[in-house]
Amino acid sequence: MAQVSLKNVYKAYPGNIEAVRDMSLGVENKEFVVIVGPSGCGKSTTLRMIAGLEDVTKGEIWISDKMVNDVPPKDRDIAMVFQNYALYPHMTVYENMSFALRLRKYPRSEIETRVKDAAEILGIAKLLNRQPRELSGGQRQRVAVGRAIVRKPMVFLFDEPLSNLDAKMRVQMRTELNKLHIRLQSTMIYVTHDQTEAMTMGNRIVVMKDGIIQQVASPITLYDKPVNKFVAGFIGSPPMNFVKGEIIKKDSKFFFTGDGFIVKVVEDMHKKLAVYEGKEIFFGIRPEDIYDKLFTSRASSENTVKAVVEIVEPMGAEAYLYITAGKSSLIARVGGHDRPEVHQDMDLVFDMSKARFFNKDTEETIV
């Protein structure tokens, strides 16, 4: 079994700089957990503490049934794949992949079997006699992953391993790593700043900000039920639109009024929003929940807003519209063949059943 558990873990640097604060997280055996957040949020520091490359200031890290705070990295039975591949340039692929096993005095026959098996899994069997300089970026990354696989560790750690690859290769390697997890049935912890990687790879996602966990949930739960404004804005591409405004009441109906527009709140939200009547809050809606009135049957005068198209970004099957509604700047995602012209006036329909509201002071989700 290879559970990983962090219990109230802190990491502080000289000058009382806290990189990680009171982090508690449990990773189950065979689970693929992704830690995601902006640069400087503490995600790589967390991974390095699990690996033993950073000391823990306070708290406990457990791997299986053993606390490993004072256990050297080589004795933790983990394998780490780095962003820069960290291959030995003077060694062949075979020598790079077998290096750790040779240090541990494994029998030659077992080393050969493990390396060849890993190479077959990763599709690099024909590259074993090449040196790193003869490989593409994607091939080097496969070698780095293969070097981890041959050790058969209890836990795999990945520190932004795809960030040096081009867009097409990143998509391919995401798929390969997902297949690898299914095949190996190993515990994997993966760090990235790319929310698309996080959404497509993790069984669960840990969202971090300023050294603190904001939310831990499945990808679809993070997307549909963010606990605060940061998670709502970080998860999703393009990001959620936010408008500051207030809740008002007219004829027993509740409305949100923002910078130059007003929309009706659906009845299911009335009870929780009633206490915010007359108070400033944040209104949030995702780009795909904003429609051109010409292409939807959900329009009514109470959820339709006048807007002007500022920029159109064609993406093929869809298009992103950068629009101004009143004084608010918004992004809408529409069909690739439905897009209007720049500077065109249009009527936008908000799917208010998908709207989110956030407390202005705490930024926590209200509904």
Side-chain angles (χ1 to χ4, degrees), residues 295 316-319 334-339:
F295 299 98
E318 58 189 19
V334 300
H337 299 288
D338 302 339
R339 63 180 186 267

Side-chain angles (χ1 to χ4, degrees), residues 31-186:
E31 191 176 18
F32 195 148
V33 167
V34 178
I35 304 176
V36 67
S39 297
C41 72
K43 55 189 184 295
S44 290
T45 301
T46 299
L47 203 71
R48 291 173 64 82
M49 285 192 290
I50 295 171
L53 302 176
E54 294 274 3
D55 294 330
V56 177
T57 303
K58 187 167 64 173
E60 299 176 356
I61 295 179
W62 292 70
I63 297 178
S64 294
D65 57 354
K66 184 178 182 180
M67 190 173 78
V68 296
N69 286 41
D70 300 318
V71 176
K74 65 183 179 64
D75 298 325
R76 295 195 182 194
D77 200 9
I78 57 95
M80 191 162 179
V81 179
F82 296 92
Q83 175 180 347
N84 62 358
Y85 319 135
L87 301 178
Y88 295 106
H90 62 287
M91 294 184 183
T92 64
V93 169
Y94 183 95
E95 290 168 340
N96 267 285
M97 290 176 65
S98 63
F99 184 70
L101 301 181
R102 287 185 280 125
L103 281 181
R104 289 170 171 77
K105 310 290 187 188
Y106 277 75
R108 180 177 296 180
S109 59
E110 184 172 355
I111 292 175
E112 187 171 329
T113 298
R114 288 196 185 193
V115 171
K116 287 185 176 179
D117 287 347
E120 288 292 339
I121 290 172
L122 294 166
I124 55 174
K126 295 181 179 180
L127 307 177
L128 292 177
N129 293 321
R130 295 191 188 180
Q131 291 187 317
R133 66 174 179 271
E134 301 174 288
L135 306 177
S136 68
Q139 289 169 335
R140 291 179 193 177
Q141 193 55 271
R142 288 170 190 265
V143 175
V145 173
R147 186 175 53 190
I149 291 174
V150 298
R151 293 178 52 193
K152 297 183 179 179
M154 288 199 299
V155 182
F156 286 89
L157 306 177
F158 296 89
D159 189 8
E160 305 211 37
L162 309 184
S163 59
N164 288 337
L165 303 179
D166 61 57
K168 183 177 180 180
M169 184 56 67
R170 282 202 302 271
V171 173
Q172 183 179 339
M173 284 301 297
R174 285 205 309 259
T175 303
E176 293 301 320
L177 288 175
N178 275 322
K179 289 180 181 177
L180 187 65
H181 177 247
I182 293 169
R183 181 164 181 172
L184 297 180
Q185 289 292 289
S186 299

